[in-house]
Amino acid sequence: MLQSKEVEEAVSLFRTDYVFTYRDLGLPPESSGNVIRKLNRMAKSGVIKRLSKGRFYKPKRTMFGDLKPTQEEIVKDLLEKEGQVVGYLTGISIFGQLGLTTQISNIIEIGVNGKKNNTRRGVFTIRFVQQANIINKSNIPLLQLLDSIKKIKHIPDSTPDISYNRIKSIVKSLDEKSIDLIIKLSMKYTPMTRAILGAIMEDLYGEEKALTLRDSLNPITIYKVGLTKKVLNTKIFRIV
């Protein structure tokens, strides 16, 4: 019979923050029942924390209390399967990483190809957002940036002007290959997203770089974003 000490030793090898299930312990499958019971006892005693049914982690302990794992760690199994990327973080958690907001949320948004039903994991609500472009490791940062442009009017603790300037500074840091790719990826986003990206391209690189984006839009549509003339410098895009 599997000894409790074996489970404790296997758990001790995990780093703090690492979310695991009984399968990650590498113990004999026929002992799964005993392993799960032992993990539940360890969680009850406070040695580890239970994130959600069958999922545990070793908390990082600080003078201010135990810390939860990162959102990426919490949903890692929803981002990659068998070495293949199947989703990416987006929404408020990414807005924070990009310097667009300081707000945190218990809603974790994941961009995916196709449709998936929202779910819960512990205190977190997991919301799936459909992405029309194929998702791969190399284009995820650009998709996250486009998602931020798409939501520019709804980024918490910010204004469209502040968000626009921050996004423009990120776009300015991209290399030429990434610039061409983000324009291509934007063709599967909303017209307003393309208009804002086009205005940024025009401001940074001139009208010629923005023509593909302009030509993809209805020439008589005005996009109401809430941007002021203080930050907006465009002659070919109808944005207010």
Side-chain angles (χ1 to χ4, degrees), residues 149-214:
I149 295 174
K150 181 180 177 180
K151 295 286 188 70
I152 194 169
K153 294 194 292 183
H154 307 290
I155 295 173
D157 293 336
S158 187
T159 66
D161 276 7
I162 293 171
S163 297
Y164 181 89
N165 278 335
R166 174 57 186 155
I167 290 168
K168 186 171 75 171
S169 71
I170 298 171
V171 172
K172 188 176 181 179
S173 71
L174 299 177
D175 58 30
E176 188 174 350
K177 183 179 178 181
S178 296
I179 290 292
D180 291 339
L181 181 55
I182 198 171
I183 291 173
K184 181 180 178 181
L185 294 170
S186 75
M187 294 302 161
K188 292 186 178 181
Y189 276 76
T190 62
M192 189 187 76
T193 303
R194 299 199 301 275
I196 297 170
L197 179 63
I200 291 173
M201 293 297 176
E202 179 188 359
D203 192 3
L204 292 175
Y205 306 112
E207 291 185 18
E208 186 176 349
K209 198 67 175 176
L211 290 180
T212 300
L213 290 158
R214 186 203 64 181

Side-chain angles (χ1 to χ4, degrees), residues 5 26 31 47 56 74 76 107 117 119 122 128 151 165-166 176-177 179 191 201 211 239:
K5 189 176 180 181
S31 302
V47 176
F56 305 88
I74 289 168
K76 61 185 178 182
I107 297 175
N117 293 327
T119 187
F128 295 97
K151 295 286 188 70
N165 278 335
R166 174 57 186 155
E176 188 174 350
K177 183 179 178 181
I179 290 292
M201 293 297 176
L211 290 180
I239 302 173

Side-chain angles (χ1 to χ4, degrees), residues 11 26 35 37 42 54 66 83 109 141 152 158 163 193 197 205 220 228:
V11 169
V35 173
R37 283 190 288 274
M42 291 174 70
D66 294 347
E109 291 188 271
I152 194 169
S158 187
S163 297
T193 303
L197 179 63
Y205 306 112
I220 64 172
T228 68

Side-chain angles (χ1 to χ4, degrees), residues 17-18 62 69 89 101 114 116 133 150 182 200 230 235:
D17 258 12
Y18 181 79
T62 73
L89 283 178
T101 187
K116 292 189 71 173
N133 290 289
K150 181 180 177 180
I182 198 171
I200 291 173
K230 190 184 298 185
K235 296 178 181 177

